[in-house]
Amino acid sequence: MGMAGYHLSRNRMLFFGGALFITLAVGVHLTPYFPSVSDFVSSVKSVVVYDNREDSCINLVNEVVWDVKPRVISSKGDGTVDYDKIWDWSRNGKAKGCDFEKLGRGDVKDLLNGSWIVVAGDSQARLTVQSLLSLILDEKRLAMIMGDLYKKHSDYEIVVDEIGMKLDFVWAPYVVNLTSLVMGFKKNRTYPEVLVMGAGLWHMLHVNNASDYDVALENLRSSVVSLLPFSSELDMDGPVTGSVSVRSPHLFWLGMPILINGMLNTEEKREKMNDEMWHAYDSVLHNSRLLRRYGGPLLLLDIQSLSWNCGPRCTIDGMHYDGAVYEAAVHILLNALLIESHQKLGSL
């Protein structure tokens, strides 16, 4: 993994980083003699920490618009209907100017070249892995791996040799599993370039206690903060400072989907995963300061919004949604990576 992360820095970023280091080093030595140099160093630091495009667009990356249209699929005249699930950013005026795009296979491979990606969680995370791999692998190879990817309650890993990318799926249905994973990275001093985590549905079903979920999220947040190279600048009792915006790895939280209670496939699920309990868990997540929008370190991949707007026509069991939902989540992740690594598609 010696070349891991090259995709997110590129030669131009390495050059800029080297030039910046030299500039700052000279500035530090000259500061006592030239007060104006001190001002310059401060201004350069602010440029590195805060990126205008990131400030204005990173919070809009989940703002996709859905168009779910009925499509007759039966030639027997029995009225059988399926639905086309189409989504994009183009019809959302708030996202205008952010240049969000659905990435093609070549761009995805260039962006993730040399990366180590870890996706950890429950079945929602596994579906996300499938959507990511569908953008990288051809149909034949994707079909060959599906059996291994969907072995029940198991981990999965794959190396895409042609781009030097390693992807690990870690079966981690409880938040405590995610905390152990993060602490393992810290202990071994090996970190993925991209870390996607999410858990809550299993806890809701098998523990069914939002207060306990709250404690688990707080422990996870503390572990993640200790992982960050800029953790000393993260106020544990306040919002994330701008410095954390340049951290590595790139951290994402995979949100829980909307649950359609009447469609859940067991009585236990319908009883325990009711609307009141779902909202309690959702509220705990928002108050945990784990998510960046609430002062935390992880950028949300908003499965809640995506599943809500795709609607009941996008699920057969009220919990697992059509591939279009997870496809959208993956493209949101990829566009966020472009923003955070200060790249545009034309530069890949």
Side-chain angles (χ1 to χ4, degrees), residues 202-210 271-274 277 281:
W202 270 59
H203 194 286
M204 193 186 305
L205 178 60
H206 298 292
V207 180
N208 204 236
N209 186 313
E271 177 184 349
K272 293 183 176 180
M273 306 176 83
N274 55 58
M277 187 59 67
Y281 272 66

Side-chain angles (χ1 to χ4, degrees), residues 44-282:
V44 170
K45 180 180 179 183
S46 69
V47 170
V48 175
V49 172
Y50 299 105
D51 176 82
N52 288 335
R53 184 166 178 258
E54 181 171 342
D55 287 344
S56 61
C57 292
I58 198 70
N59 292 327
L60 297 175
V61 73
N62 283 288
E63 299 289 336
V64 305
V65 177
W66 286 87
D67 187 9
V68 181
K69 294 181 177 180
R71 170 169 48 90
V72 177
I73 61 172
S74 174
S75 60
K76 299 179 180 179
D78 59 4
T80 303
V81 176
D82 196 1
Y83 294 88
D84 292 319
K85 295 102 175 181
I86 303 168
W87 64 270
D88 60 32
W89 292 274
S90 63
R91 288 172 291 135
N92 189 322
K94 292 188 295 183
K96 185 178 180 180
C98 290
D99 299 323
F100 297 142
E101 294 186 44
K102 297 181 183 181
L103 276 66
R105 180 164 293 159
D107 286 327
V108 175
K109 287 184 174 182
D110 284 344
L111 178 63
L112 300 181
N113 178 51
S115 298
W116 177 24
I117 301 168
V118 175
V119 182
D122 53 24
S123 56
Q124 302 291 315
R126 202 185 297 270
L127 287 163
T128 302
V129 168
Q130 179 184 339
S131 288
L132 177 57
L133 289 176
S134 71
L135 292 176
I136 299 171
L137 307 178
D138 59 42
E139 292 185 8
K140 182 178 180 180
R141 187 173 181 191
L142 184 64
M144 290 173 60
I145 69 168
M146 290 297 286
D148 290 333
L149 175 59
Y150 278 92
K151 284 182 179 177
K152 191 173 183 179
H153 304 167
S154 64
D155 298 345
Y156 174 78
E157 66 178 43
I158 184 173
V159 175
V160 184
D161 291 326
E162 59 265 32
I163 59 172
M165 186 197 84
K166 183 175 186 288
L167 189 152
D168 290 329
F169 167 72
V170 180
W171 173 248
Y174 295 104
V175 174
V176 66
N177 303 136
L178 301 177
T179 303
S180 296
L181 177 69
V182 170
M183 296 310 294
F185 291 142
K186 185 177 181 180
K187 179 180 179 180
N188 297 327
R189 297 191 178 187
T190 57
Y191 311 102
E193 280 69 51
V194 180
L195 175 58
V196 183
M197 299 184 291
L201 294 177
W202 270 59
H203 194 286
M204 193 186 305
L205 178 60
H206 298 292
V207 180
N208 204 236
N209 186 313
S211 297
D212 186 86
Y213 186 59
D214 186 16
V215 173
L217 289 177
E218 180 58 36
N219 290 336
L220 175 62
R221 183 182 187 274
S222 298
S223 299
V224 172
V225 168
S226 72
L227 185 72
L228 301 177
F230 293 94
S231 59
S232 62
E233 300 184 38
L234 180 62
D235 182 359
M236 289 297 294
D237 297 315
V240 173
T241 64
S243 300
V244 182
S245 67
V246 295
R247 69 189 181 280
S248 181
H250 299 272
L251 302 171
F252 297 90
W253 180 261
L254 191 65
M256 291 190 299
I258 289 290
L259 300 180
I260 304 176
N261 190 265
M263 298 179 70
L264 299 178
N265 56 17
T266 70
E267 182 59 36
E268 182 184 17
K269 289 178 181 177
R270 290 190 291 270
E271 177 184 349
K272 293 183 176 180
M273 306 176 83
N274 55 58
D275 290 347
E276 182 180 358
M277 187 59 67
W278 186 94
H279 284 292
Y281 272 66
D282 188 54

Side-chain angles (χ1 to χ4, degrees), residues 273-320:
M273 306 176 83
N274 55 58
D275 290 347
E276 182 180 358
M277 187 59 67
W278 186 94
H279 284 292
Y281 272 66
D282 188 54
S283 178
V284 162
L285 174 62
H286 290 178
N287 293 332
S288 68
R289 292 183 294 119
L290 184 67
L291 303 181
R292 192 183 303 184
R293 68 166 67 170
Y294 301 110
L298 279 76
L299 182 66
L300 177 66
L301 301 177
D302 197 352
I303 300 296
Q304 174 187 337
S305 174
L306 296 174
S307 57
W308 172 264
N309 288 296
C310 197
R313 292 167 294 187
C314 295
T315 178
I316 60 173
D317 65 1
M319 179 185 297
H320 302 97

